[in-house]
Amino acid sequence: MVKIMKIRSIFENFIPYEWEISSQEVAKMANIPVEKVLRLDTNTSPFVPKKWLNKIAEMLPNLQVNQYPDTRYTELLDKICKYANVKEDCVVITNGADEGIDIVSKTFIDYGDKVIISVPTYSMLKISSQLAGAKVIEVPRKKPSFEDDVENIIQVCNREKANVIFLCNPNNPTGNFTEIERIKSIVEETDSWVIVDEAYYEYCGKSTVNLISKYPNIVIIRTLSKAFSLAGARVGYLLANEETVKKLNLVRPPNSLTVISIKLGSIALSDIQQMREWVKEIIKEREGCYNILNSIKKIEAYPSETNFILFRVKGVDANVVHKKLFSKGICVRNLSDVKGLENCLRVTIGTREQNERFLHELNYIIEKDAKSR
Ligand code: PMP
């Protein structure tokens, strides 16, 4: 018997999240052991937080994993408040920034609501909005700076009566930052929820956090996945004013963090100095990579205030370069299919050694290899 059950109609025009291929597949293509695969496609940190892992290793025997975590995540909450300089009623702790995006969408978006997204940007902002039933309106970023087109966003928002505006600042995958005053105009001049994804905040040091005490319609999304080297631990948080946090808490699941990740997050936030050292190192490497990339004739690299660099290859097919890098065991993000980012790739900044390996192979591919195609 053939059974035809339906799934939600939103999936008729839906592009799900796409990852690059797995490290195992890259290793096979490159004919190297999987440990040699260099993943420069996920904007994570190359630094393993050994000191913090050793600390938690000592604590493990006493962690009460037989119980659910304390629902307020009290220890972690205190640390986040200190770090972000906000009151505890202004924080919602989440399982990574992705759950933050999900909670925001579920709290603010009704079926058929209009949502504005400043594009190109992190694909989960659109995916999460669509899953909540939104009609997504994409407002293109300015060229060539990739800044948010603030005037257009305000105009479109007020004309279309959009309920939510998603911004990402600094933006993934373009790496640029839109000044706080510009974001403030959007918050002031629309009757819309303005959501600012600040996943890469630590690499630029500028934040809209001071706006939350004055404006009820701004929500900030943050994470420990990037600068704090804890992508695998899944810790993020939302910042907003007290009344808005009450609304977001209607949606927050009770137990989305593990006892272990709460502890690890707390340890990390007790050692801000370590994070700052890593960030300093990444920024130094980023500037070096940026200069080297731009010294290659067939490459145009865009300035970045994050831990990655977007670059366009010229006179060579980016898909070929991407594939050739795979064959050397190096994985970067291919953005060639994204509107406005034609023939672009994005590389995460790694350690000096990793960056040198990437730059060496890229240079070889661009100058010698790709020519022969
Ligand atoms: N926001 C942006 C802009 C990101 O780039 C990412 C990760 N790629 C996330 C959110 C998700 O981060 P998390 O690991 O905290 O879920």
Side-chain angles (χ1 to χ4, degrees):
M1 197 202 325
V2 181
K3 294 191 184 201
I4 304 171
M5 276 76 66
K6 78 175 188 71
I7 63 168
R8 296 173 63 198
S9 57
I10 54 158
F11 293 114
E12 280 159 25
N13 269 320
F14 184 76
I15 302 169
Y17 188 82
E18 275 180 56
W19 289 264
E20 296 292 349
I21 60 175
S22 74
S23 299
Q24 278 75 11
E25 285 170 275
V26 180
K28 219 189 234 172
M29 281 170 78
N31 198 22
I32 55 171
V34 72
E35 311 79 64
K36 287 264 153 57
V37 171
L38 183 51
R39 290 223 75 109
L40 300 179
D41 60 322
T42 54
N43 297 345
T44 46
S45 162
F47 307 114
V48 180
K50 289 255 172 63
K51 203 175 17 162
W52 303 344
L53 290 171
N54 285 331
K55 245 191 186 151
I56 201 162
E58 281 171 28
M59 294 174 173
L60 278 180
N62 296 318
L63 287 187
Q64 296 202 332
V65 291
N66 55 320
Q67 300 292 350
Y68 289 112
D70 157 43
T71 47
R72 278 184 73 251
Y73 307 136
T74 306
E75 185 185 3
L76 182 57
L77 183 60
D78 287 350
K79 295 276 180 345
I80 291 172
C81 289
K82 257 201 209 118
Y83 173 61
N85 196 21
V86 295
K87 289 185 291 182
E88 61 178 55
D89 301 348
C90 297
V91 181
V92 180
I93 298 181
T94 61
N95 182 292
D98 278 344
E99 189 184 61
I101 297 168
D102 188 45
I103 289 175
V104 162
S105 301
K106 284 175 174 162
T107 308
F108 300 136
I109 302 172
D110 250 335
Y111 204 85
D113 272 1
K114 289 175 180 164
V115 169
I116 290 179
I117 304 183
S118 180
V119 293
T121 193
Y122 182 45
S123 60
M124 283 305 290
L125 302 177
K126 181 174 183 179
I127 291 169
S128 179
S129 301
Q130 286 180 323
L131 287 173
K135 183 176 177 304
V136 171
I137 304 170
E138 297 184 323
V139 175
R141 288 169 172 270
K142 285 185 179 172
K143 276 183 187 161
S145 67
F146 292 120
E147 248 186 86
D148 293 300
D149 189 342
V150 170
E151 284 71 27
N152 204 15
I153 289 172
I154 294 171
Q155 207 176 54
V156 173
C157 180
N158 292 336
R159 188 184 66 223
E160 299 288 336
K161 310 235 169 321
N163 195 39
V164 177
I165 299 168
F166 271 112
L167 306 172
C168 183
N169 206 29
N171 187 45
N172 176 12
T174 53
N176 67 293
F177 184 81
T178 301
E179 289 309 321
I180 315 270
E181 282 302 306
R182 308 289 292 141
I183 307 284
K184 189 170 150 198
S185 331
I186 302 177
V187 176
E188 280 182 341
E189 292 172 38
T190 64
D191 292 329
S192 175
W193 296 103
V194 179
I195 318 302
V196 188
D197 183 334
E198 292 190 356
Y200 300 95
Y201 151 66
E202 284 83 3
Y203 298 102
C204 80
K206 294 172 277 185
S207 169
T208 41
V209 68
N210 289 335
L211 301 184
I212 65 168
S213 56
K214 192 158 173 221
Y215 302 95
N217 59 326
I218 178 166
V219 179
I220 295 167
I221 300 172
R222 296 255 190 99
T223 181
L224 304 197
S225 288
K226 309 295 177 180
F228 282 94
S229 286
L230 289 184
R234 316 302 304 131
V235 183
Y237 55 98
L238 300 172
L239 302 172
N241 90 2
E242 293 92 326
E243 288 310 307
T244 306
V245 161
K246 278 186 201 159
K247 295 176 176 65
L248 295 164
N249 272 329
L250 298 171
V251 172
R252 178 176 82 86
N255 301 306
S256 63
L257 267 75
T258 69
V259 168
I260 295 171
S261 55
I262 291 166
K263 195 46 114 182
L264 207 42
S266 306
I267 293 171
L269 286 163
S270 308
D271 193 6
I272 308 287
Q273 185 54 29
Q274 173 64 85
M275 176 278 286
R276 293 206 202 288
E277 279 168 31
W278 286 331
V279 166
K280 212 168 139 197
E281 180 70 23
I282 291 294
I283 291 175
K284 197 172 86 195
E285 282 302 307
R286 181 189 72 204
E287 293 314 297
C289 286
Y290 174 77
N291 290 332
I292 293 173
L293 282 169
N294 270 333
S295 71
I296 302 172
K297 249 202 341 255
K298 289 175 187 152
I299 286 181
E300 182 188 6
Y302 294 93
S304 167
E305 302 211 35
T306 63
N307 65 337
F308 57 83
I309 296 177
L310 177 77
F311 62 96
R312 197 182 295 272
V313 294
K314 294 182 287 191
V316 187
D317 184 351
N319 294 304
V320 174
V321 177
H322 180 243
K323 221 165 152 191
K324 289 256 167 196
L325 282 168
F326 272 151
S327 73
K328 301 289 180 187
I330 299 170
C331 194
V332 299
R333 194 76 154 135
N334 187 358
L335 296 155
S336 307
D337 288 343
V338 177
K339 199 161 171 245
L341 302 183
E342 291 77 15
N343 230 30
C344 280
L345 300 171
R346 188 198 68 196
V347 63
T348 305
I349 304 301
T351 60
R352 169 67 57 89
E353 193 191 357
Q354 291 172 339
N355 301 332
E356 279 175 355
R357 179 175 157 202
F358 158 72
L359 289 165
H360 173 81
E361 295 297 355
L362 178 73
N363 200 18
Y364 186 84
I365 290 165
I366 296 241
E367 292 301 335
K368 306 240 167 55
D369 240 17
K371 209 188 278 174
S372 59
R373 317 228 111 230

